[in-house]
Amino acid sequence: MKSKSDFFQLIYDVVREIPKGRVTSYGAIGKYLSSGKSARIVGWAMNAAHSQKKFVPAHRVVNRNGELTGKHHFGHPKLMQKLLEKEGIKVKHDKILNFKKLFWDPAEELKM
DNA sequence: TGGGTGACCATAG
DNA sequence: ACTATGGCCACCC
């Protein structure tokens, strides 16, 4: 019992490992941490990421469809898109362009 | 212990 | 494109 929410910390750690200009999905993170952990847990963690001391690039995490589903949780709906575009990611109609190409899978990149 | 919630995912129509 | 449904599982009360 190192923390009251180990899962959250693990999730945040993975999210911080996402390279700039890349994105991943909630399901991919959940799968990487524990093959099959519901993606909802990841989304739930992102909801709490706001309270973390360290910055968590939650804007690099989208759903499996590449849609900015969590944009409303950044304080302002346009902030998430703004952050993504700032990193060179094109966003159109709340969806990431070339999502398939920009997709960063922790299970593939952080695998051993 | 049990119920409600959720920034999800998959399938069906 | 859309809504509906079931499953998923940690969190909070």
Side-chain angles (χ1 to χ4, degrees):
Chain A
M1 49 69 105
K2 37 184 68 171
S3 300
K4 48 185 181 176
S5 52
D6 292 342
F7 280 120
F8 282 25
Q9 297 303 322
L10 288 172
I11 292 168
Y12 300 146
D13 188 54
V14 174
V15 173
R16 293 192 192 102
E17 292 298 312
I18 301 174
K20 183 179 179 181
R22 294 293 215 104
V23 292
T24 190
S25 67
Y26 304 96
I29 296 173
K31 182 171 183 173
Y32 168 69
L33 293 177
S34 178
S35 55
K37 288 295 182 188
S38 299
R40 289 188 167 182
I41 311 305
V42 181
W44 196 265
M46 291 295 98
N47 190 19
H50 181 316
S51 302
Q52 296 303 304
K53 293 180 180 179
K54 283 181 65 68
F55 173 70
V56 179
H59 59 279
R60 294 177 187 155
V61 185
V62 297
N63 69 356
R64 70 125 190 143
N65 198 23
E67 300 175 75
L68 283 55
T69 54
K71 65 177 184 178
H72 287 288
H73 295 261
F74 283 78
H76 194 280
K78 292 184 178 179
L79 181 58
M80 186 175 185
Q81 180 174 336
K82 200 75 177 180
L83 290 169
L84 289 171
E85 291 181 336
K86 192 174 180 184
E87 298 187 353
I89 298 175
K90 301 296 190 296
V91 180
K92 194 72 175 180
H93 297 298
D94 297 337
K95 301 184 198 67
I96 295 177
L97 300 182
N98 300 322
F99 172 65
K100 195 181 202 172
K101 190 188 296 182
L102 296 174
F103 183 71
W104 181 85
D105 190 347
E108 293 295 321
E109 303 294 341
L110 301 180
K111 70 183 179 187
M112 309 189 218

